[in-house]
Amino acid sequence: MNHDAYDDNYIRAILNSVKSIAMVGASPVNVRPSYFAFKYLAQRGYDMIPVNPGHVGKSLLGKPFVASLADIDRPIDMIDIFRNSSHIMPVVDEALKLSPLPKVIWMQLGARDDAAAEKAEAAGIKVVMNRCPKIEYGRLSSEISWMGVNSRTLSSKRAPIPTQGMRLSLNRMSVGGGETAASDRAAKNKSEP
Amino acid sequence: MTDRHPGFSTLAVHAGAQPDPTTGARATPIYQTTSFVFNDADHAASLFGLQAFGNIYTRIGNPTNAVLEERVAALEGGTAALAVASGHAAQVVVFQQLLMPGDEIIAARKLYGGSINQFTHAFKSFGWNVAWADSDDVASFERAVTPHTKAIFIESIANPSGSITDIEAIAAVARKAGVPLIVDNTLATPYLIRPIDHGADIVVHSLTKFLGGHGNSLGGIIVDAGTFDWSKDNKYPMLSEPRPEYHGIKLQETFGNFAFAIACRVLGLRDLGPALSPFNAFMILTGIETLPLRMQKHCENAKAVAEFLAGHPKVAAVNYAGLASDRYNNLARKYAPKGAGAVFTFSLKDGYDAGVNLVSNLKLFSHLANVGDTRSLVIHPASTTHSQLDDAAKVKSGAAPDVVRLSIGIEDKEDLIADLEQALTA
Ligand SMILES: Cc1ncc(COP(=O)(O)O)c(C=O)c1O
């Protein structure tokens, strides 16, 4: 599995199939990226569960915080980890003790731990690293196009009018999957010395 | 199902656009409105807090303009774009995100005269300094780097000289200095050159020229390549630090590889105000649909006219990178294999006066201060676009007193050549 770039179909299949998402490191502070993503994904119809031991007893947009993954009372499809790369492995270890196992482990923009990814993949779990599910959902549905962002997708179908709780179609024609975009190529060149 | 990769012409027609949600209108509607209603108080707060995607007020974003933004981002291979009122507005907005008083940029001397003025005079009052370098001498960029340098600025094909810049070589200097490379790609358009493929971090355009292409609408755009790490050494606090105007949001942390475009929108456009009219966005979008076809014709005509002038007894020199004899021909073959653009200069053996006569004798070429129109255009830069420069700077910028600039249109080339022939012999 190449974790430098993902085919749009890989991301699309994940976002189309998962229903419940546990967000580890969710913050109640409304300018933090995790809050943005939590709110957006809840509004797009995902069953969101905030995981943060520091906020147990409180709730995030009406959803009660839990201290750890083990405290969740129902199967979870995806774990979205809002922690630095150095804090990924313990979360993955905890996830691997769940029954049933989650289908997807997603690490937030900026977070990457290849060893943890390998471990999860060995257990049959799909892994995404260094991406934001809010941005990917907004991109594949082209909702993000309102911000002038290149969705890298095309469609000749009438656009939906997004409303609260509505799931948007992610099945647009892709323009070159992440890995062939010039900017990704250029970014790779840049990180070479 | 595997991803298909549509070609440039498909993107030029489709990227960013889709049938209107309410009416099914297939052409992109002109959303001629200042403002957009909110669903409820929470939606309003989410939009203002940058938590949700959507429209608030046309100074910050507009659905017609958003189609233009995504289309140009797609054509350039960038992550996002921001359309603004003019090419000059694009430059101010870009530098507002990068520079604090006392900071410096390095700019190529071969630039559009208006950009030289903007950097030299307008930027001075913001406390932004410019160091000039020679696009033909990469080492001159390296020598100009100081601890205050925050960016390097070049044109891919320079106005008026038509010379081609070695983007990759200058990108390497920028990378070493840890600063972004900004490329003004106005004269090339992404059809001829895609600077991001060659290491640019930010691309700017005057949409007024070939992208709009019909000489009817001002516009500018900023494309974020998504390649620069703004948080590496705290040199770019607009992107890396908590923003007080948004209650402490850090833009790069929140928006990742399109944070620069967001900064330009929510800190630049929002506060400086040079919004593009949705009507102009519509005109420019319509122009972009035929960009590939027009650029082919522009380049074919320009080459034919340049060849004609090069063989004319009254012409002293033709500077067109598409000619095999031109000093920039190797760079043109590398960076612009589909054509060397359609703006170039030439000089007459009888000097300044002969140039002035030629301009007044032309019947089909229009004498005006623009380039990149369907119509062929002519101007004498030394007395107009570059008149504020002193003589030495005129020569260095490619606008010596005896030089005439042409912007070749998409008319029949035989008619353009005939017009030049009669004007040269009149
Ligand atoms: C290369 C180049 N950059 C920028 C500009 C400025 O663009 P605008 O006139 O749209 O502000 C021009 C205009 O002539 C130009 O030729």
Side-chain angles (χ1 to χ4, degrees):
Chain A
M1 181 80 208
N2 171 16
H3 288 288
D4 292 326
Y6 299 101
D7 197 88
D8 278 359
N9 284 322
Y10 180 72
I11 303 288
R12 195 177 272 137
I14 289 173
L15 294 174
N16 272 332
S17 62
V18 303
K19 292 189 175 63
S20 53
I21 303 178
M23 184 181 283
V24 176
S27 168
V29 179
N30 72 359
V31 298
R32 298 302 302 152
S34 62
Y35 179 94
F36 283 31
F38 190 95
K39 183 170 180 180
Y40 178 84
L41 295 170
Q43 285 177 342
R44 287 283 152 256
Y46 292 99
D47 171 18
M48 300 299 295
I49 304 140
V51 183
N52 191 329
H55 297 286
V56 175
K58 293 184 238 164
S59 51
L60 182 49
L61 301 167
K63 317 273 181 178
F65 275 100
V66 297
S68 72
L69 292 172
D71 296 339
I72 300 172
D73 58 2
R74 53 195 190 275
I76 38 181
D77 297 327
M78 174 163 130
I79 298 172
D80 182 12
I81 310 178
F82 262 91
R83 304 295 313 270
N84 293 337
S85 303
S86 57
H87 294 103
I88 300 288
M89 190 60 100
V91 180
V92 170
D93 285 336
E94 211 188 318
L96 288 172
K97 292 191 199 116
L98 296 175
S99 173
L101 285 175
K103 300 188 188 82
V104 180
I105 292 182
W106 188 303
M107 303 173 206
Q108 202 49 38
L109 211 53
R112 176 163 181 160
D113 180 339
D114 285 277
E118 231 170 87
K119 212 173 187 181
E121 282 170 336
I125 298 172
K126 286 187 184 171
V127 175
V128 176
M129 298 193 281
N130 189 23
R131 291 287 186 283
C132 171
K134 173 190 176 186
I135 291 172
E136 294 303 305
Y137 191 100
R139 185 174 75 74
L140 292 173
S141 67
S142 91
E143 200 185 359
I144 204 168
S145 300
W146 297 124
M147 308 291 288
V149 172
N150 184 2
S151 71
R152 295 186 196 144
T153 64
L154 303 180
S155 172
S156 60
K157 299 282 185 288
R158 188 188 283 204
I161 303 168
T163 52
Q164 274 279 23
M166 178 183 179
R167 294 294 288 267
L168 303 175
S169 167
L170 307 182
N171 300 329
R172 299 159 57 87
M173 176 181 180
S174 277
V175 178
E179 70 277 22
T180 51
S183 56
D184 287 357
R185 266 203 319 275
K188 236 173 273 164
N189 296 340
K190 291 240 148 140
S191 52
E192 284 159 17
Chain B
M1 185 172 94
T2 57
D3 290 344
R4 237 197 94 70
H5 302 180
F8 189 93
S9 298
T10 302
L11 294 179
V13 172
H14 287 280
Q18 89 184 89
D20 185 59
T22 47
T23 62
R26 181 64 267 220
T28 297
I30 304 169
Y31 288 93
Q32 192 69 27
T33 181
T34 55
S35 338
F36 303 84
V37 292
F38 306 117
N39 301 340
D40 52 39
D42 180 60
H43 181 227
S46 298
L47 287 172
F48 272 99
L50 304 181
Q51 291 165 9
F53 310 123
N55 298 297
I56 301 175
Y57 186 66
T58 287
R59 172 154 44 73
I60 305 169
N62 174 282
T64 310
N65 298 19
V67 175
L68 174 63
E69 289 160 353
E70 184 171 3
R71 184 158 309 166
V72 177
L75 293 176
E76 287 285 7
T79 53
L82 176 71
V84 293
S86 69
H88 264 20
Q91 293 168 192
V92 176
V93 169
V94 162
F95 287 118
Q96 186 219 359
Q97 310 321 310
L98 303 179
L99 304 180
M100 294 289 153
D103 283 344
E104 225 165 79
I105 61 170
I106 303 172
R109 261 189 211 96
K110 278 202 185 117
L111 288 189
Y112 164 56
S115 299
I116 298 177
N117 285 337
Q118 187 189 48
F119 294 178
T120 308
H121 303 293
F123 283 11
K124 192 184 280 173
S125 61
F126 301 161
W128 302 342
N129 302 316
V130 54
W132 298 102
D134 178 356
S135 339
D136 301 328
D137 173 14
V138 174
S140 70
F141 283 84
E142 247 176 314
R143 285 195 301 274
V145 174
T146 75
H148 300 293
T149 305
K150 290 290 171 72
I152 296 181
F153 186 95
I154 59 175
E155 289 178 5
S156 52
I157 300 183
N159 183 1
S161 65
S163 63
I164 314 274
T165 306
D166 190 346
I167 302 171
E168 286 174 15
I170 297 171
V173 175
R175 198 176 317 153
K176 202 168 143 209
V179 303
L181 174 66
I182 304 160
V183 178
D184 179 341
N185 199 29
T186 299
L187 261 48
T189 81
Y191 180 73
L192 298 178
I193 300 178
R194 299 210 321 168
I196 293 171
D197 290 345
H198 302 291
D201 299 292
I202 296 163
V203 174
V204 293
H205 281 279
S206 167
L207 298 168
T208 318
K209 320 299 178 195
F210 293 98
L211 278 165
H214 295 70
N216 57 28
S217 303
L218 264 283
I221 203 159
I222 301 156
V223 182
D224 185 350
T227 44
F228 198 82
D229 181 0
W230 305 104
S231 305
K232 207 169 41 195
D233 43 19
N234 294 329
K235 275 205 299 212
Y236 303 98
M238 297 284 268
L239 289 124
S240 65
E241 297 304 301
R243 293 312 309 169
E245 51 278 74
Y246 288 100
H247 306 293
I249 290 177
K250 297 180 193 170
L251 292 178
Q252 183 171 25
E253 177 188 59
T254 307
F255 295 104
N257 68 0
F258 55 91
F260 186 77
I262 296 288
C264 288
R265 182 186 302 279
V266 306
L267 304 176
L269 186 56
R270 188 197 71 159
D271 292 352
L272 299 178
L276 177 68
S277 146
F279 181 78
N280 281 21
F282 172 83
M283 296 301 282
I284 293 163
L285 266 174
T286 305
I288 290 176
E289 292 183 9
T290 56
L291 177 72
L293 297 171
R294 287 187 289 105
M295 290 314 288
Q296 286 162 24
K297 183 80 168 168
H298 277 296
C299 289
E300 179 195 321
N301 283 0
K303 186 146 191 272
V305 169
E307 279 165 357
F308 160 76
L309 289 171
H312 199 281
K314 294 205 169 167
V315 171
V318 178
N319 307 301
Y320 181 59
L323 295 178
S325 56
D326 193 83
R327 66 177 287 201
Y328 297 101
N329 190 248
N330 281 338
L331 286 171
R333 283 173 198 277
K334 172 173 179 178
Y335 287 103
K338 293 206 278 283
V343 174
F344 64 92
T345 59
F346 68 102
S347 51
L348 293 169
K349 286 183 181 153
D350 294 335
Y352 182 94
D353 293 337
V356 171
N357 276 338
L358 173 88
V359 170
S360 56
N361 289 338
L362 284 163
K363 293 175 177 160
L364 199 53
F365 282 75
S366 305
H367 180 200
L368 55 75
N370 191 26
V371 295
D373 193 325
T374 50
R375 289 155 277 261
S376 289
L377 314 174
V378 62
I379 202 165
H380 179 236
S383 60
T384 55
T385 55
H386 289 64
S387 60
Q388 296 191 8
L389 307 186
D390 62 35
D391 281 353
K394 277 179 185 153
V395 172
K396 281 186 179 148
S397 70
D402 59 339
V403 158
V404 174
R405 180 186 76 189
L406 298 179
S407 172
I408 302 299
I410 59 173
E411 303 97 331
D412 287 306
K413 56 179 178 270
E414 296 78 10
D415 295 328
L416 301 177
I417 289 170
D419 192 31
L420 285 162
E421 173 77 75
Q422 67 78 23
L424 283 165
T425 48

